Amino acid sequence: SSGIRVQDGSEVYESVTGKVPLESLHLSWLLFSPGFRVSVPLLIYERVTSFLISAIALVLSSPVMALIALAIRLDSAGPIIFSQKRVGLDTKTFTLYKFRTMFDGADQEGNHPAAELTDKRFTRVGRLLRRTHLDELPQFFNILIGDMNIVGPRPFVPDQEQECMEKIPFYRQRWVIKPGATGWAQVNRGYNATIEDNKEKLAYDLFYIKNVSLGLDLLILFQTVKHLLLGRGGR
């Protein structure tokens, strides 16, 4: 033996791009790939770490959240907290909490059109919160109670997830782990609005699920902080 390691095309593609090649995926590959069987110790690590970080973050950010709540109350009529059903682990829905950034009643009858950069549904305070991502601070409560982890695939509303599931092969694989407040797809792909956008998002999410580790989580958190400081990705 010459000791030369041979990699197949999909492994090379993943190592170069940081995403799974959806076009060449087969069901047998998903079933037998060791990366798609997340170990129990890793799941425990994810939950304990997420619980501790969210508890600390809620305590430290409570003065900021109080000021945000006051600003929202003074800026426009309506509730301070916006709640919305999202799809989580094993396709189970949960209620996600955010600070309200749009005028009350902007999303009527279950219709949730994607936010645009110049969306007129945003309030004055809401536009600032979206740009700085401060509207997402209440999600630390979702993480604390176990709906989400700090890192994982981003959860979306049921109608959007249903459409993606019907049009994108292997989309259900996103739901084998808990969703996260940030993730590999968010730091690499950013905002997603179309089916094609969500196909690429899935490619990044599957890469994360297959390669989840402490090192990858730390890289995602570092990239997230960098994006927040640079003001990227907010709508």
Side-chain angles (χ1 to χ4, degrees):
S1 174
S2 61
I4 299 175
R5 182 185 178 191
V6 178
Q7 288 184 298
D8 63 27
S10 62
E11 289 180 338
V12 174
Y13 180 89
E14 289 177 36
S15 62
V16 172
T17 64
K19 55 185 179 179
V20 167
L22 296 181
E23 296 77 9
S24 61
L25 279 187
H26 301 285
L27 182 59
S28 60
W29 183 83
L30 286 174
L31 291 175
F32 298 113
S33 175
F36 285 97
R37 293 190 292 273
V38 183
S39 67
V40 173
L42 192 57
L43 291 175
I44 294 173
Y45 141 74
E46 291 270 4
R47 179 82 288 267
V48 171
T49 302
S50 295
F51 178 85
L52 292 175
I53 292 177
S54 60
I56 294 170
L58 283 171
V59 172
L60 295 179
S61 65
S62 56
V64 175
M65 288 198 286
L67 291 175
I68 291 173
L70 178 61
I72 293 172
R73 171 62 65 216
L74 295 175
D75 183 52
S76 63
I80 293 170
I81 298 295
F82 173 73
S83 62
Q84 189 178 60
K85 292 296 182 182
R86 298 289 179 99
V87 178
L89 178 67
D90 295 329
T91 73
K92 295 176 182 177
T93 58
F94 67 95
T95 302
L96 180 138
Y97 302 103
K98 301 175 71 173
F99 282 120
R100 180 175 58 84
T101 59
M102 295 184 178
F103 290 102
D104 190 28
D107 289 344
Q108 296 287 353
E109 299 179 358
N111 185 32
H112 308 291
E116 302 293 338
L117 289 172
T118 57
D119 206 310
K120 294 182 179 179
R121 293 174 294 168
F122 290 138
T123 63
R124 290 172 298 178
V125 170
R127 194 174 298 279
L128 176 62
L129 293 177
R130 293 287 286 240
R131 189 177 300 123
T132 58
H133 297 276
L134 290 174
D135 63 311
E136 299 186 5
L137 286 176
Q139 288 178 50
F140 282 120
F141 179 73
N142 286 112
I143 297 168
L144 185 75
I145 63 177
D147 293 329
M148 302 166 60
N149 285 331
I150 292 291
V151 179
R154 185 69 177 160
F156 290 97
V157 295
D159 55 344
Q160 291 175 349
E161 291 286 70
Q162 181 66 29
E163 181 184 13
C164 288
M165 185 187 69
E166 293 171 355
K167 296 181 179 179
I168 304 175
F170 305 111
Y171 195 81
R172 281 182 175 273
Q173 289 298 129
R174 289 186 80 241
W175 303 324
V176 301
I177 63 174
K178 285 185 179 182
T182 186
W184 188 238
Q186 290 94 294
V187 299
N188 282 284
R189 187 66 179 83
Y191 191 78
N192 300 280
T194 67
I195 289 296
E196 288 303 315
D197 290 339
N198 282 290
K199 282 183 180 179
E200 188 158 357
K201 174 191 69 180
L202 176 63
Y204 283 112
D205 284 335
L206 292 183
F207 178 90
Y208 173 76
I209 294 169
K210 183 182 177 184
N211 298 282
V212 59
S213 65
L214 174 60
L216 183 55
D217 280 2
L218 290 175
L219 175 60
I220 291 169
L221 291 173
F222 173 78
Q223 294 283 3
T224 300
V225 171
K226 185 174 74 171
H227 287 189
L228 290 175
L229 293 175
L230 294 175
R232 295 177 182 173
R235 283 199 187 194

